[in-house]
Amino acid sequence: MSNELLVGNSTQYLTHKENQRFRGISSQNITAILPAYNEEVSIGSLVLLTKLYVDNVIVVDDGSTDRTAEVARKAGAEVVAHQTNKGKAEALKTGFKTAADLGADIIVTMDANGQHNPADIPKLVVPIIKGNAEMVNGSRYLNYPDKNAPIYCRIGQTMQGNAVKMNFDLKITDSQSGFRAFAASTKNIFRFSGKKIAIENEMLADAGRSGVRITEVEIGAFKPSETLTRNPVKYITGALKAVGEDMEANRPLYFYSVPGFALATCGFYMGFKLLETVFLGSASLNFGHTFLMVFLSLAGAYMTLRGIVAHSMAGATRQSESV
């Protein structure tokens, strides 16, 4: 008997044994989605490991230029290929549709670069199986704030966690996690646009607005060497950008109108004081002072109005989507 056949048989045996132990919890169909772009190195082993805990593995090959699709298919995944790279949001949209077609009751999303451990899948799906949640977020920071991580990483994560709490009224400790589980009944609440904010945050926003019950479970934290040497300035800048994008998309009144009102107030106050001094004859018009006053007033008024309009449009959009 060839070594290949032995390996194949042993893999099938382990898969059957592991699935039997885990499947004893529920007979629900669990399907995993792996959006992948040029991940031929990690995708094969990840598919094989994931199959130990789920019924189906869907790999959405998002326009890869390597052998991602070929390797995933040989490992036993259901492969759906995009002809061009469309981004993670579109890949997840395709994955959710395919999972529904395969009769999934629970959908698990994972990153395809190997940073998530498939052995954590049972932790993610149990709250859904027990009826305690419709969405489960895998968190690296739930029971410990990762004290060994560089301080700038902890600062960035804290900022993003606070932004999620304020924007979506959700207490989520790992808002950027791509390792999540969903009841299949939630599939239609997600927009999968990924245009203004990261798809991970967009899905949190959609879930929060729809009243979906969300819980978190602890997952392992994998730290490749490059994350330990990342540039602190770039990391903090990226975190601030993510927070800003979330605020702009979900809290335009806070993002635009509050600072805009403050700027306009400063500009009008400066104008009042300037006019007062000019009429009293205690000072003459100063070009720099006048320019700053006009700039602050106009910029503040514009930001205030933009925030109000964006807030109104967002509300109208949500109402039309709910009808």
Side-chain angles (χ1 to χ4, degrees):
M1 186 179 292
S2 67
N3 289 336
E4 184 178 351
L5 186 57
L6 283 171
V7 171
N9 286 340
S10 62
T11 299
Q12 289 176 4
Y13 172 73
L14 288 172
T15 301
H16 177 69
K17 184 178 179 181
E18 189 71 23
N19 261 316
Q20 269 194 327
R21 185 163 64 242
F22 174 55
R23 302 304 293 144
I25 299 175
S26 172
S27 60
Q28 296 188 56
N29 181 293
I30 302 172
T31 296
I33 301 171
L34 281 68
Y37 178 68
N38 290 343
E39 297 289 357
E40 68 175 7
V41 174
S42 60
I43 195 66
S45 58
L46 186 58
V47 168
L48 289 172
L49 289 171
T50 303
K51 287 177 66 179
L52 299 176
Y53 304 97
V54 302
D55 298 284
N56 304 296
V57 178
I58 299 169
V59 172
V60 182
D61 178 31
D62 193 27
S64 297
T65 56
D66 63 3
R67 298 182 303 167
T68 294
E70 177 187 349
V71 174
R73 194 173 286 111
K74 287 184 176 180
E78 179 82 18
V79 177
V80 183
H82 290 168
Q83 294 302 311
T84 59
N85 182 254
K86 298 181 178 181
K88 189 174 182 179
E90 282 294 326
L92 285 174
K93 182 177 182 179
T94 298
F96 268 66
K97 183 180 183 303
T98 306
D101 292 340
L102 292 176
D105 298 305
I106 300 175
I107 298 171
V108 176
T109 61
M110 299 174 60
D111 291 342
N113 57 7
Q115 68 171 304
H116 298 141
N117 186 354
D120 286 327
I121 290 176
K123 295 182 185 179
L124 287 171
V125 302
V126 164
I128 297 176
I129 291 173
K130 291 183 175 180
N132 298 326
E134 287 90 41
M135 176 177 172
V136 182
N137 189 63
S139 173
R140 297 160 289 181
Y141 313 103
L142 182 60
N143 296 321
Y144 59 95
D146 203 6
K147 294 180 180 178
N148 294 324
I151 188 170
Y152 62 86
C153 288
R154 283 180 275 158
I155 292 173
Q157 186 59 40
T158 300
M159 287 192 302
Q160 293 180 76
N162 289 335
V164 167
K165 182 174 177 58
M166 181 173 67
N167 292 334
F168 315 137
D169 196 25
L170 298 173
K171 189 176 181 181
I172 299 294
T173 61
D174 194 354
S175 62
Q176 301 305 303
S177 175
F179 199 8
R180 293 170 174 170
F182 307 83
S185 59
T186 66
K187 65 182 184 300
N188 293 326
I189 71 172
F190 301 112
R191 292 167 290 169
F192 297 113
S193 66
K195 294 179 180 179
K196 293 185 177 181
I197 59 176
I199 183 59
E200 290 81 7
N201 282 6
E202 181 184 279
M203 294 181 80
L204 286 175
D206 292 339
R209 289 168 183 159
S210 300
V212 169
R213 292 179 299 163
I214 305 175
T215 189
E216 279 193 309
V217 297
E218 182 181 346
I219 59 172
F222 176 77
K223 301 181 183 66
S225 58
E226 59 266 22
T227 64
L228 300 178
T229 58
R230 67 176 66 177
N231 188 305
V233 175
K234 288 184 178 180
Y235 181 83
I236 293 296
T237 302
L240 288 172
K241 180 182 178 182
V243 170
E245 289 174 344
D246 288 348
M247 292 285 291
E248 181 181 11
N250 297 284
R251 289 290 187 269
L253 279 177
Y254 288 99
F255 187 77
Y256 287 114
S257 297
V258 171
F261 182 78
L263 289 178
T265 301
C266 289
F268 293 145
Y269 178 76
M270 289 175 62
F272 174 77
K273 297 301 289 184
L274 179 62
L275 291 175
E276 183 181 34
T277 55
V278 169
F279 281 122
L280 293 177
S282 58
S284 58
L285 285 174
N286 179 279
F287 175 77
H289 192 92
T290 304
F291 176 81
L292 181 61
M293 173 200 70
V294 173
F295 174 78
L296 290 177
S297 300
L298 293 178
Y302 168 76
M303 290 176 65
T304 302
L305 290 174
R306 179 170 180 175
I308 294 172
V309 171
H311 176 75
S312 301
M313 290 180 64
T317 300
R318 285 195 292 269
Q319 286 184 350
S320 63
E321 289 177 349
S322 63
V323 174

